[in-house]
Amino acid sequence: MTQNITVNEHGVEQIALSSYSQQAYLNYSMYVINDRALPHIGDGLKPVQRRIVYAMSELGLKSTAKFKKSARTIGDVIGKFHPHGDSACYEAMVLMAQPFSYRYPLVDGQGNWGSPDDPKSFAAMRYTESKLRKYADVLLSELEQGTVEWKLNFDGTLEEPEILPARLPNVLLNGGSGIAVGMATDIPPHNLREVASACIHLLESPSATVADLLTHIKGPDYPTAADIISSQNDIASLYETGKGSIKARAVYHIENGDIVITALPYQVSGAKVLEQIAAQMQKKKLPMVVDLRDESDHENPTRIVVVPRSNRIDTDALMLHLFASTDLERNYRVNFNMIGTNGRPQVKDLRSLLKEWLEFRTETVRRRLQNRLDRILQRLHILEGLLVAFLNIDEVIHIIRTEDKPRPVLMERFGISEVQAESILELKLRHLAKLEEVKIRAEQSELDAEREKLEQILGSATRLKTLIRKEIAKDAEDFGDDRCSAIVQREEAQAFSETELLSTEPLTVVLSERGWARTAKGHEVDPTALQYKSGDAFKFAAKGRSNQNAIFIDSTGRSYSLPSHTLPSARGQGEPLTGRITPESGASFEGVLMGDDTQRVLLASDAGYGFVAKIADLQSKNKSGKSVLKLPTASKVLPPIVVNNYEEDLVVAITNEGRMLSFPLSELPELSRGKGNKVISIPSARASDRIEFVVALCVLGEKDTLTIHAGRRYLNMKISDLEHYRGERGRRGNKLPRGFQNVDRVEVT
């Protein structure tokens, strides 16, 4: 971008602020992208990492050397190549030394280099010692063989490599992350053997697709042994586009009833996980866990023990909750953004990445071979001159002794070059022995054979490709290892709902005639013995558990749901339901139900119509409830009845005229809402003068006893006693005995 520069009357150059700021920001952004944040596809390193590795090699800190203080290395790095802060430089060095951060560490550290719980807890550089690991040879071994371009350092006094001649695609093996201006990179680490195998396959089959390469590269391979649980489709999409995400999950097993976590996701702190679980326990959000221990040590770097309350706890469901609510499961963003061989940042798919790296590697090997060939030709040229000297040794000595400037005389007399003449003049006297001629001819023969071999490789693309393939295979054998992160299919993690987190204690919900509700712990409570407000009395009770909803049915046929554990204690007189739900004006509450969603209940009106529904059909999140039972004109809702055996139970219906009908419950339909079918036949009449209606409805099991109360009299009847009243659904039924036709209530025991 050109800048409009003007000169004022004082000769001062002026630039528009907008133009200057745009150019300054562009320069800064390009610097951050190229020289700080993004790795290069060739060696997979950022500039600071490259300078650290190179400075350590210049200090002689190879893997076979002795350790040296890290401060010495950092001093060389920032003094010679990287004029930035020492702490940031040292932190970059530490990262390359941590085996839990780098899949294939480049630096071998001695001392405190941090821990997985706190990667930044490393000691100061004056305390730690370091040297390069053997794996660093993959980046450095060909550096002095004419393979890469060199550039001046920041003050122009030294040279440094623009890039390291990596023998493997380190950009994939160790990955990296960084934030530049307007872009970022997140490259996960991969397994060396898998990546090398994919490179060899692409080298032999240049038309291979990403799908073909994925038969070799199964997915990322993090330094920790946590499971990768992303689907195959997600992983394939990630490598097709160069962008996506990877999901990793901790590994656990059951040991004597306890849950033992043995591996955590990449960059997850065990201390933080313990803190997250403990926080849930303190807030009583994990009632199924009674203890939490950290048993990690040198032999077991990760061993977190979660102790369930009892062996009845579903440990898999508990772990799914912990995966969803803690760092035991992590999502990692993936973005294959890097500096290409053209010097430009770009997001690359797997095939483009490996293809471009192979082109880089091919050019590196070609330059290495050409450099070696040039050196051989230079040496052969010198050996030819030396051989001439040995064949004419006496004359050579005479010229050297008698001539003031022997070099031009030698060149003219023997027809040799200046380089050859100089090498003759630099010969030591001890090399004038007869055996030297034999050595020269042997060296000539050896170098000639190597020259011929190099020329054949450089002249044949196939031979060059074969050499690269063999070298990649050799490095894979030397540095490769088994996969750390297993790729598995797992169930989706889901946190417990509020009701699932509750302890499932038995409860009894009590409803009063005026619509006040409360809960009593246990099922042994006598609701009739509780205290009620003046003018109020017991109406209905339901038994269930604290993680179930209490469902109330009102006189209009609507149902309402309230969490039973939120209702006030039975030690008091409860609270009116109208404070929590909004029934229609004038409506009263006729019953309450509790049970699992699959529990069946009988709903009916005193007009003689009813049906069987499930608890799930009656649940409602609205304050105004949901319409469930449709009432015929002027009819009323009968109290709902819990059904134990839909296929075998009997229905008994009694009218105010003393008629009773019994029939199989299965003859009534299962509905989610509606009026239902006719239970017992009642003569139709106008709403204003209803004569007959149902006064009692119950469900009998095979071993139940029915007790009919009429005033002070009562009549006990078993299933076998009901034959006289058995009939088809919807019939009139038969009259009860005299004295029992005016039924007050019925009981089933």
Side-chain angles (χ1 to χ4, degrees):
M1 185 176 69
T2 59
Q3 293 183 339
N4 296 323
I5 303 175
T6 60
V7 181
N8 64 12
E9 65 273 12
H10 302 293
V12 178
E13 293 183 348
Q14 295 179 328
I15 305 173
L17 180 60
S18 60
S19 174
Y20 173 79
S21 59
Q22 287 179 23
Q23 186 64 44
Y25 187 76
L26 181 62
N27 291 340
Y28 169 72
S29 64
M30 291 307 297
Y31 161 73
V32 173
I33 290 169
N34 287 298
D35 293 332
R36 186 189 297 180
L38 301 188
H40 194 284
I41 191 172
D43 56 11
L45 300 177
K46 300 176 186 179
V48 62
Q49 296 169 329
R50 187 179 301 118
R51 287 163 177 165
I52 290 170
V53 172
Y54 175 63
M56 293 182 76
S57 70
E58 287 296 287
L59 282 170
L61 296 177
K62 298 293 179 70
S63 58
T64 53
K66 292 182 178 179
F67 286 96
K68 191 170 286 187
K69 284 287 185 183
S70 301
R72 173 68 192 278
T73 299
I74 298 303
D76 264 33
V77 173
I78 64 177
K80 293 180 178 179
F81 309 112
H82 198 71
H84 295 275
D86 58 343
S87 59
C89 188
Y90 180 50
E91 193 168 327
M93 180 182 179
V94 168
L95 193 70
M96 293 191 291
Q98 292 175 336
F100 49 84
S101 295
Y102 250 48
R103 182 64 179 83
Y104 299 96
L106 295 168
V107 177
D108 190 1
Q110 188 168 267
N112 176 14
W113 290 80
S115 66
D117 278 346
D118 188 3
K120 295 194 175 183
S121 62
F122 49 85
M125 56 183 155
R126 62 182 178 273
Y127 300 119
T128 61
E129 297 179 338
S130 57
K131 63 179 180 178
L132 291 171
R133 285 183 181 260
K134 181 68 176 172
Y135 175 75
D137 291 346
V138 170
L139 304 176
L140 294 167
S141 62
E142 300 174 355
L143 186 59
E144 303 295 338
Q145 299 179 25
T147 51
V148 295
E149 297 295 331
W150 294 73
K151 63 180 180 180
L152 292 174
N153 68 339
F154 63 91
D155 61 2
T157 58
L158 296 169
E159 284 192 332
E160 61 175 313
E162 290 186 358
I163 193 170
L164 298 181
R167 303 200 307 257
L168 291 169
N170 187 60
V171 70
L172 271 183
L173 301 183
N174 276 320
S177 62
I179 300 175
V181 178
M183 60 179 65
T185 182
D186 290 282
I187 306 172
H190 290 74
N191 184 268
L192 194 152
R193 288 177 182 168
E194 293 181 4
V195 172
S197 178
C199 288
I200 292 171
H201 179 74
L202 187 59
L203 201 61
E204 295 175 341
S205 306
S207 60
T209 63
V210 173
D212 297 331
L213 297 176
L214 290 182
T215 60
H216 301 270
I217 297 177
K218 307 301 182 184
D221 186 22
Y222 293 100
T224 59
D227 290 338
I228 292 175
I229 61 169
S230 296
S231 68
Q232 293 297 328
N233 290 338
D234 289 345
I235 293 175
S237 173
L238 181 158
Y239 289 112
E240 289 277 2
T241 61
K243 288 186 175 183
S245 64
I246 286 291
K247 189 177 291 185
R249 180 179 288 182
V251 176
Y252 72 95
H253 65 271
I254 307 301
E255 191 176 294
N256 299 324
D258 297 341
I259 301 169
V260 181
I261 300 167
T262 56
L264 296 173
Y266 179 55
Q267 292 180 331
V268 168
S269 163
K272 186 177 180 182
V273 169
L274 286 163
E275 184 181 329
Q276 291 172 333
I277 299 175
Q280 292 191 44
M281 293 173 67
Q282 288 173 357
K283 293 177 182 177
K284 298 185 178 179
K285 291 186 176 181
L286 276 179
M288 61 287 292
V289 176
V290 294
D291 194 15
L292 181 67
R293 298 194 301 272
D294 184 7
E295 298 181 354
S296 305
D297 53 28
H298 289 293
E299 293 183 2
N300 303 289
T302 301
R303 184 178 169 85
I304 297 173
V305 181
V306 180
V307 182
R309 184 176 295 276
S310 71
N311 57 11
R312 295 190 300 274
I313 298 295
D314 187 344
T315 53
D316 291 335
L318 172 58
M319 287 306 296
L320 288 177
H321 167 76
L322 293 177
F323 290 142
S325 58
T326 69
D327 283 347
L328 288 174
E329 181 174 301
R330 281 280 293 272
N331 261 343
Y332 299 95
R333 184 177 56 199
V334 176
N335 183 12
F336 287 104
N337 190 10
M338 63 198 72
I339 307 294
T341 52
N342 60 0
R344 296 180 179 178
Q346 186 182 358
V347 177
K348 303 179 186 295
D349 63 84
L350 180 62
R351 184 181 182 278
S352 301
L353 191 160
L354 291 181
K355 186 178 180 182
E356 189 170 338
W357 182 84
L358 285 171
E359 291 171 357
F360 164 81
R361 180 60 188 160
T362 302
E363 181 59 26
T364 302
V365 173
R366 190 187 301 279
R367 292 182 63 161
R368 186 191 79 203
L369 297 177
Q370 188 62 52
N371 177 266
R372 176 59 183 163
L373 180 59
D374 292 343
R375 292 191 179 189
I376 288 174
L377 292 175
Q378 185 180 1
R379 180 62 180 167
L380 285 172
H381 181 64
I382 292 173
L383 289 176
E384 286 176 6
L386 292 176
L387 193 58
V388 169
F390 277 106
L391 292 175
N392 303 277
I393 187 66
D394 294 332
E395 189 175 354
V396 168
I397 293 173
H398 176 73
I399 291 172
I400 293 172
R401 290 184 65 184
T402 58
E403 296 292 337
D404 291 336
K405 295 183 178 180
R407 182 172 14 180
V409 177
L410 288 172
M411 291 170 60
E412 184 180 353
R413 169 66 185 85
F414 299 110
I416 59 178
S417 67
E418 185 176 348
V419 174
Q420 290 173 320
E422 188 64 33
S423 64
I424 291 171
L425 292 173
E426 289 180 355
L427 272 174
K428 294 181 180 179
L429 288 174
R430 65 183 178 191
H431 290 156
L432 299 179
K434 271 189 176 182
L435 290 176
E436 286 300 320
E437 181 184 346
V438 177
K439 289 181 180 179
I440 289 172
R441 292 190 182 278
E443 187 178 351
Q444 270 186 325
S445 176
E446 185 179 334
L447 290 177
D448 273 331
E450 188 177 352
R451 174 186 58 78
E452 184 179 351
K453 183 178 179 181
L454 289 173
E455 288 175 344
Q456 287 177 347
I457 295 174
L458 287 169
S460 169
T462 303
R463 292 190 179 189
L464 183 62
K465 190 182 294 185
T466 301
L467 175 63
I468 295 170
R469 179 175 57 79
K470 287 182 178 178
E471 289 179 350
I472 292 175
K474 178 68 167 56
D475 285 333
E477 183 180 343
D478 291 343
F479 300 103
D481 56 6
D482 294 332
R483 169 174 277 278
C484 286
S485 304
I487 298 178
V488 294
Q489 297 298 313
R490 290 284 187 263
E491 187 179 349
E492 189 73 21
Q494 187 173 359
F496 288 138
S497 64
E498 185 181 352
T499 54
E500 288 174 317
L501 289 172
L502 293 170
S503 55
T504 56
E505 299 174 347
L507 290 181
T508 301
V509 176
V510 180
L511 175 66
S512 76
E513 290 182 351
R514 289 191 174 181
W516 286 55
R518 46 185 156 168
T519 58
K521 290 186 177 181
H523 291 166
E524 295 75 27
V525 63
D526 180 6
T528 60
L530 297 175
Q531 288 187 347
Y532 294 87
K533 280 186 172 289
S534 176
D536 201 1
F538 166 73
K539 184 166 189 178
F540 211 90
K543 296 177 180 179
R545 306 197 73 81
S546 55
N547 61 344
Q548 295 172 340
N549 283 342
I551 299 173
F552 298 92
I553 307 294
D554 74 1
S555 57
T556 66
R558 300 184 73 84
S559 65
Y560 308 83
S561 300
L562 288 176
S564 59
H565 68 278
T566 65
L567 294 174
S569 169
R571 293 175 182 173
Q573 294 174 335
E575 66 179 39
L577 290 174
T578 51
R580 299 198 183 193
I581 53 183
T582 54
E584 293 182 8
S585 177
S588 60
F589 293 96
E590 301 299 325
V592 60
L593 293 164
M594 289 184 73
D596 297 329
D597 284 349
T598 56
Q599 176 68 57
R600 293 183 175 96
V601 293
L602 174 60
L603 300 179
S605 65
D606 67 355
Y609 289 87
F611 63 91
V612 175
K614 290 183 179 177
I615 291 283
D617 300 326
L618 309 181
Q619 302 278 10
S620 173
K621 295 181 180 179
N622 297 326
K623 280 191 172 184
S624 58
K626 66 186 290 188
S627 179
V628 176
L629 180 62
K630 184 178 179 181
L631 297 174
T633 306
S635 62
K636 297 179 181 178
V637 173
L638 293 175
I641 303 168
V642 174
V643 172
N644 294 321
N645 194 326
Y646 176 65
E647 288 74 21
E648 298 181 7
D649 286 354
L650 294 179
V651 177
V652 176
I654 304 174
T655 71
N656 62 328
E657 295 289 333
R659 289 188 172 273
M660 185 167 76
L661 176 66
S662 170
F663 62 88
L665 178 62
S666 57
E667 292 186 12
L668 281 176
E670 278 198 72
L671 303 173
S672 59
R673 59 190 298 178
K675 176 182 174 181
N677 287 7
K678 187 177 289 188
V679 178
I680 186 169
S681 179
I682 294 176
S684 58
R686 289 180 301 176
S688 59
D689 54 355
R690 282 205 313 159
I691 299 173
E692 190 174 0
F693 49 88
V694 177
V695 292
L697 187 70
C698 61
V699 175
L700 287 180
E702 183 182 359
K703 298 181 179 180
D704 291 340
T705 299
L706 174 65
T707 303
I708 300 174
H709 293 268
R712 293 184 178 180
R713 299 183 178 187
Y714 63 90
L715 177 64
N716 290 329
M717 304 180 73
K718 295 184 179 180
I719 291 284
S720 56
D721 301 327
L722 297 177
E723 284 300 322
H724 178 64
Y725 304 97
R726 292 287 289 267
E728 296 179 358
R729 179 189 60 79
R731 297 296 185 183
R732 283 286 287 151
N734 292 324
K735 281 275 190 178
L736 285 165
R738 285 183 180 275
F740 294 97
Q741 293 177 0
N742 191 12
V743 177
D744 295 327
R745 58 189 173 89
V746 296
E747 288 181 357
V748 177
T749 55

